[in-house]
Amino acid sequence: MITGLNRVGLWSLYIKEVRRFLKVQTQTIWAPAVTTLLFLVIFTVALGREGREVLGVNFATFVAPGLIVMGMMQNAFANSSFSLLSGKIQGTIIDLLMPPLSTGELMTGIVAAAVTRAIAVGGAVALAMLFYPGVDLSLAHPWAVAWFGLMGAIMLALMGLLASIWAEKFDHNAAVSNFVIAPLSLLSGTFYVIDNLAPAFQAISRLNPFFYVISGFRFGFLGQSDIGDTNAALVQSAIGLGVFNLVFAFVVYRILASGWKIRS
């Protein structure tokens, strides 16, 4: 009888999920890095000419951190959203439901693997950007890079798991990615500061949790952010994201434990 935490089962699930995306790492890690680098090239050529500066740095340095964490979040979502959905479509979901894993262990294994992929993609993107002219990735506040990057990856991994539970075919998953994740990512201040927006749109941006992840992550590199003028605003945002993820994790846990759209 397994009591307490099933460490062997949890580790096996985590390794299985990690090996799944590493088997096709050209598609799951290096391709997103190239795509994100293309974003950097296009936007710096279009908007960063004539020495344009944002938050006191050149445009390429300003936009690079946002692109790194955006790539991390999108790939965390992609990894966890595939886990249960592929099992439902292929009829192999029983392989996840029958082993002696609790709901918490199942959720932890899937989310941890998604965060691992996010970190790998973030590292690959940062490595590629180091060779791009004009980009400076010096760290001003390493704690902010670690915390906001981790919170963003966990948030999107939980979103992906929830989408995987709800979706019945790959079209459903793609709809969430295209109509929810992509707009929230691109309209969260990745390529601009929200001070340039009208007051109404600034208020809308501050309701977007992606905004706090991207701006907080950027603060870790530049030491400046459009979240607020003080470090206290960044600390409050960091705490707020942590609380948001705890509440979100509890909601996803309850839905997963109920067996909705899984045990039918």
Side-chain angles (χ1 to χ4, degrees):
M1 178 178 294
I2 298 174
T3 58
L5 179 66
N6 183 357
R7 294 179 179 83
V8 175
L10 176 58
W11 178 253
S12 299
L13 174 61
Y14 169 76
I15 291 298
K16 175 249 184 191
E17 290 292 305
V18 169
R19 286 178 176 174
R20 178 171 61 79
F21 73 75
L22 285 180
K23 273 188 85 74
V24 286
Q25 59 178 286
T26 303
Q27 175 186 346
T28 57
I29 296 177
W30 301 109
V34 172
T35 302
T36 306
L37 190 62
L38 288 175
F39 270 113
L40 178 66
V41 173
I42 292 168
F43 278 92
T44 51
V45 169
L47 302 175
R49 291 174 295 181
E50 300 176 358
R52 180 182 178 184
E53 292 189 353
V54 184
L55 294 180
V57 297
N58 66 65
F59 186 77
T61 298
F62 165 79
V63 79
L67 287 173
I68 292 172
V69 75
M70 186 177 75
M72 291 173 63
M73 291 193 294
Q74 289 179 341
N75 282 276
F77 175 87
N79 201 78
S80 60
S81 65
F82 187 81
S83 298
L84 296 180
L85 178 58
S86 62
K88 287 195 286 187
I89 292 176
Q90 297 171 2
T92 59
I93 194 169
I94 194 69
D95 295 336
L96 292 175
L97 300 180
M98 280 196 67
L101 291 170
S102 67
T103 301
E105 290 162 353
L106 179 62
M107 187 173 82
T108 300
I110 293 174
V111 169
V115 171
T116 301
R117 175 173 168 183
I119 294 172
V121 170
V125 172
L127 180 64
M129 287 183 176
L130 285 175
F131 297 98
Y132 189 80
V135 174
D136 181 10
L137 293 180
S138 301
L139 295 179
H141 300 281
W143 73 266
V145 173
W147 179 258
F148 285 99
L150 181 62
M151 289 297 102
I154 291 174
M155 180 172 64
L156 269 292
L158 291 170
M159 276 190 196
L161 181 56
L162 184 59
S164 186
I165 295 170
W166 165 76
E168 296 178 357
K169 51 185 179 180
F170 288 117
D171 287 351
H172 293 163
N173 198 24
V176 175
S177 180
N178 293 331
F179 297 111
V180 178
I181 304 304
L184 288 177
S185 299
L186 295 173
L187 299 177
S188 58
T190 305
F191 305 103
Y192 55 87
V193 290
I194 65 169
D195 293 341
N196 296 333
L197 304 176
F201 288 100
Q202 289 187 36
I204 293 173
S205 294
R206 291 187 181 277
L207 296 176
N208 180 1
F210 287 42
F211 162 73
Y212 296 97
V213 173
I214 289 174
S215 294
F217 191 81
R218 181 184 291 130
F219 172 79
F221 287 92
L222 306 184
Q224 300 182 68
S225 166
D226 50 353
I227 291 178
D229 297 329
T230 63
N231 289 347
L234 267 296
V235 174
Q236 291 172 3
S237 299
I239 295 172
L241 275 175
V243 173
F244 177 83
N245 276 343
L246 284 175
V247 174
F248 193 21
F250 177 76
V251 172
V252 175
Y253 173 84
R254 295 299 301 170
I255 293 174
L256 184 59
S258 70
W260 179 61
K261 290 204 170 187
I262 295 178
R263 296 184 176 94
S264 60

